[in-house]
Amino acid sequence: MERCIEKASHKNLTQLELLAMSASYNLSDGHARQSLTISQQKIIAGLPDLFAQSMREPFEELERGAQRALLHALGQYSYPQEPGRVLSCYASSVAMVILARAMVDTVSTVALVHPTFDNIPDILRTSKFDLAPVEEEVLHEGDLVANVPPEAGCLFITTPNNPTGRVLTADRLALAAQWCAERDALLALDTSFRGFDVRAHYDHYAVLAESGCRYVVIEDTGKLWPMQELKAGFLVSSPNVRLPLQLAHTEILLGISPFILSLVRSLALSVAAEGWTELHQHIAMNRTAVRKILSETQAVSSPDPDNQVSVERIAVTGWDTRELWSTLREGGVEVLPCCQFYWAEPERGAPYLRIALARDHDSVSVGVERLRDLLLERA
Amino acid sequence: MERCIEKASHKNLTQLELLAMSASYNLSDGHARQSLTISQQKIIAGLPDLFAQSMREPFEELERGAQRALLHALGQYSYPQEPGRVLSCYASSVAMVILARAMVDTVSTVALVHPTFDNIPDILRTSKFDLAPVEEEVLHEGDLVANVPPEAGCLFITTPNNPTGRVLTADRLALAAQWCAERDALLALDTSFRGFDVRAHYDHYAVLAESGCRYVVIEDTGKLWPMQELKAGFLVSSPNVRLPLQLAHTEILLGISPFILSLVRSLALSVAAEGWTELHQHIAMNRTAVRKILSETQAVSSPDPDNQVSVERIAVTGWDTRELWSTLREGGVEVLPCCQFYWAEPERGAPYLRIALARDHDSVSVGVERLRDLLLERA
């Protein structure tokens, strides 16, 4: 089972995604790279006016408007309204770095969902936290008291998770919040993928406020819209959070671009008016195509049948997935091997590949057909 | 001399700049907020085309083109060309965080220019480095061997410096590089303000390469153009740097926006074609106005007569500058008190205020006239 690790040669997932940037069929990173919708095309056509408008508008009003538009479009009506409770960041990873820096003097151990995208454990490890893995099954079905180390000063959950798409239900969120409230631990959520799954649109902040726990939530626009990385991460915190988040934030930035905030507001208001259906159908069509094409080989199965987010994990039997990844690359198709998602036990990721779905239909189909052909050829 | 500190109530400079964001006359932060030039207006009018173009262009080509256009416009022809030597970041502060994270396991003490903008010492302190102040006078005229602690694993210099505008000459850069080369220490430069001063346009990378020292340079577009924070920071490193910079970079990002890179390239090519004169004249006119208006009171002098960057420091006698700052705020005029720039001895900043010059002429004039009137009134 060590096949993955031996060959992954110390690269993190983002480094693997970098290798894929110029591929013919880049199904590697989870960023949105599909063509613009009609509504999005109209917004882009109006960029010069947007620039002029965001130059004139008072920054605070613009920032609050963008945050409100996004969070309301995601069903998050009860987020805290006091000044300073929602900090705008260049990206969700920058929000993550700010959180890590703000925790450094008061938290030693972070209990972190396992698996998850490796930049979260990597950022925490570089900041010298001890990490304790919490299996998805524990979070979603298990006994938190028996399985989350009591010394953890922070419980960190990605929901929906990457790459599995698993969504924490309101009941389980309430349990996690209760666990934290009883221990005065911080509950941290990364909800970057919630736009893809309406099951993650219940009002998390109402559940969190009810529990009285100290919390932070990282909200993100980076995965949703194909805006060439014009995006924002928002670091939301409870009034009782007791972390120097604003200080850590101002160490890194004065504010994010008013132009980007204005763009985020336009995109979110467009979704609020038209719903998430167009995006969800796009992803669902690509997921269906992946599953249909790969059903033609016996080697592939779907470990995450309920996954709605913009990446699809597949299990491949009879292959060293690292070799498969490498052979696919030679044919111009890039996907991600999954060992690094299992940050505490990388070998458990060896059976899996992750396929990005936020692409045009043709890219996904042709790329996955090549994968199918390769599997059939060697069957 | 402790007047500044007592009242500055633990706020960093960026927090003070945040207070100023909605002021009638915001002369606080060093970001570019003047009106667009004719060339810049044309670029903004073409944003929809720029978006379409950067979507099509191969990312690597676009990124290299933007980096080359900016660095060549700044006279930096000898920067290292190998892949991975210039890392694009959301902002110079993100480059700074990445540098700090990459140094954390191999450097304990950083020798840092004093004074300088406080987010540099703050980022380093939060990352648990020991800081040793190196006075500007030592860097520019003094004996480095006698005055820079030999245990420093990194010598960090902001040039041109903020708020003084002092520029390290080629000879003094060579000395600093030699000091580092002889001790196998890292030389780190933050050159965010170099666009404003042609004395900082000599080819630093030629000097650095000649020395053989390990170096990083943080280049930045954030202060130059009034682009509503659409900007990039570039973390440049020598081939012999021996720091996990790419790893720290990929912990935080896959890549910055192709759209922003394309915008940076357009702006830099426009400067390459038209020269820096228009920007330099704009800043010089504002500086002249500030000095002329304030010459009407006896209380003000200019500690930095040669300063060319987009901020002007003034010395005020007979006032508690913190009280002056506070009174100005009541009148809708925001500037920065200077204690926090003197990160090792804040009281030394008490005589000074910093006035931002990257604003429209009227804002600067009216704001500074109010300052003059206040000083005359109480004289």
Side-chain angles (χ1 to χ4, degrees), chain A residues 23-208:
Chain A
S24 310
Y25 300 95
N26 172 6
L27 308 178
S28 178
D29 66 71
H31 298 236
R33 301 187 184 281
Q34 67 273 30
S35 299
L36 302 180
T37 65
I38 303 289
S39 304
Q40 289 162 357
Q41 287 173 28
K42 285 183 191 156
I43 291 171
I44 294 303
L47 287 186
D49 291 339
L50 199 88
F51 192 95
Q53 190 194 324
S54 56
M55 204 163 218
R56 282 193 304 269
E57 195 171 345
F59 181 76
E60 205 178 297
E61 178 185 310
L62 172 52
E63 187 176 42
R64 284 195 157 249
Q67 292 167 349
R68 185 173 52 239
L70 178 74
L71 288 164
H72 284 194
L74 293 165
Q76 307 306 306
Y77 298 98
S78 305
Y79 69 95
Q81 296 295 319
E82 302 77 11
R85 294 264 66 85
V86 186
L87 301 173
S88 304
C89 305
Y90 299 124
S92 61
S93 59
V94 175
M96 185 67 209
V97 168
I98 290 168
L99 171 61
R101 295 172 74 82
M103 290 197 298
V104 85
D105 289 328
T106 49
V107 173
S108 320
T109 301
V110 178
L112 173 64
V113 59
H114 188 252
T116 200
F117 198 83
D118 66 352
N119 81 325
I120 296 174
D122 285 349
I123 287 174
L124 292 168
R125 280 171 172 155
T126 304
S127 301
K128 310 296 183 195
F129 294 101
D130 293 325
L131 299 187
V134 181
E135 296 298 325
E136 266 194 344
E137 290 65 29
V138 167
L139 289 173
H140 295 277
E141 301 146 32
D143 182 347
L144 295 180
V145 177
N147 290 289
V148 182
E151 72 274 19
C154 170
L155 172 58
F156 195 108
I157 304 172
T158 312
T159 174
N161 201 9
N162 178 2
T164 64
R166 280 198 83 163
V167 177
L168 206 63
T169 64
D171 285 350
R172 296 299 300 189
L173 176 62
L175 274 183
Q178 186 193 341
W179 187 94
C180 289
E182 285 169 1
R183 286 154 189 82
D184 195 30
L186 179 75
L187 180 58
L189 303 180
D190 180 335
T191 62
S192 295
F193 279 90
R194 75 154 103 219
F196 296 102
D197 195 330
V198 294
R199 292 171 301 180
H201 291 196
Y202 68 86
D203 192 345
H204 288 46
Y205 295 94
V207 176
L208 293 168

Side-chain angles (χ1 to χ4, degrees), chain B residues 24 108 145 164 181 218 262 286 324 341 351 373 376:
Chain B
S24 309
S108 321
V145 177
T164 64
I218 297 174
S262 189
N286 280 344
L324 182 54
F341 286 98
D373 295 346
L376 287 173

Side-chain angles (χ1 to χ4, degrees), chain A residues 85-378:
Chain A
R85 294 264 66 85
V86 186
L87 301 173
S88 304
C89 305
Y90 299 124
S92 61
S93 59
V94 175
M96 185 67 209
V97 168
I98 290 168
L99 171 61
R101 295 172 74 82
M103 290 197 298
V104 85
D105 289 328
T106 49
V107 173
S108 320
T109 301
V110 178
L112 173 64
V113 59
H114 188 252
T116 200
F117 198 83
D118 66 352
N119 81 325
I120 296 174
D122 285 349
I123 287 174
L124 292 168
R125 280 171 172 155
T126 304
S127 301
K128 310 296 183 195
F129 294 101
D130 293 325
L131 299 187
V134 181
E135 296 298 325
E136 266 194 344
E137 290 65 29
V138 167
L139 289 173
H140 295 277
E141 301 146 32
D143 182 347
L144 295 180
V145 177
N147 290 289
V148 182
E151 72 274 19
C154 170
L155 172 58
F156 195 108
I157 304 172
T158 312
T159 174
N161 201 9
N162 178 2
T164 64
R166 280 198 83 163
V167 177
L168 206 63
T169 64
D171 285 350
R172 296 299 300 189
L173 176 62
L175 274 183
Q178 186 193 341
W179 187 94
C180 289
E182 285 169 1
R183 286 154 189 82
D184 195 30
L186 179 75
L187 180 58
L189 303 180
D190 180 335
T191 62
S192 295
F193 279 90
R194 75 154 103 219
F196 296 102
D197 195 330
V198 294
R199 292 171 301 180
H201 291 196
Y202 68 86
D203 192 345
H204 288 46
Y205 295 94
V207 176
L208 293 168
E210 174 70 23
S211 78
C213 77
R214 298 161 52 227
Y215 70 81
V216 298
V217 183
I218 296 174
E219 305 276 2
D220 185 26
T221 75
K223 310 296 181 293
L224 294 176
W225 300 304
M227 288 293 133
Q228 297 191 48
E229 312 295 324
L230 298 175
K231 62 187 177 185
F234 297 108
L235 182 59
V236 190
S237 60
S238 58
N240 66 347
V241 73
R242 295 202 321 272
L243 289 175
L245 293 166
Q246 285 180 275
L247 201 67
H249 183 255
T250 51
E251 271 180 27
I252 299 183
L253 70 162
L254 173 61
I256 69 168
S257 168
F259 174 79
I260 292 176
L261 284 168
S262 188
L263 179 64
V264 164
R265 182 174 59 183
S266 296
L267 292 161
L269 291 175
S270 165
V271 164
E274 300 172 12
W276 290 101
T277 315
E278 191 169 4
L279 175 64
H280 291 183
Q281 282 181 346
H282 182 90
I283 300 297
M285 270 184 69
N286 280 344
R287 191 183 310 279
T288 303
V290 167
R291 291 182 181 174
K292 184 160 182 300
I293 293 164
L294 294 177
S295 72
E296 297 167 38
T297 157
Q298 302 296 315
V300 174
S301 60
S302 297
D304 311 310
D306 291 335
N307 187 356
Q308 307 273 323
V309 305
S310 61
V311 296
E312 170 79 347
R313 192 169 60 138
I314 62 169
V316 188
T317 53
W319 271 81
D320 178 331
T321 54
R322 186 56 180 63
E323 189 192 328
L324 183 53
W325 170 77
S326 183
T327 311
L328 275 170
R329 296 196 68 208
E330 287 161 22
V333 180
E334 292 277 0
V335 297
L336 266 192
C338 287
C339 289
Q340 288 90 330
F341 287 98
Y342 289 82
W343 52 268
E345 288 177 85
E347 68 278 14
R348 281 173 51 197
Y352 307 116
L353 292 177
R354 195 195 75 168
I355 298 169
L357 302 177
R359 301 291 190 275
D360 285 337
H361 298 311
D362 284 358
S363 298
V364 173
S365 296
V366 177
V368 174
E369 280 163 9
R370 292 200 184 181
L371 167 58
R372 173 202 62 197
D373 294 346
L374 194 65
L375 293 170
L376 288 173
E377 201 177 289
R378 300 261 196 109

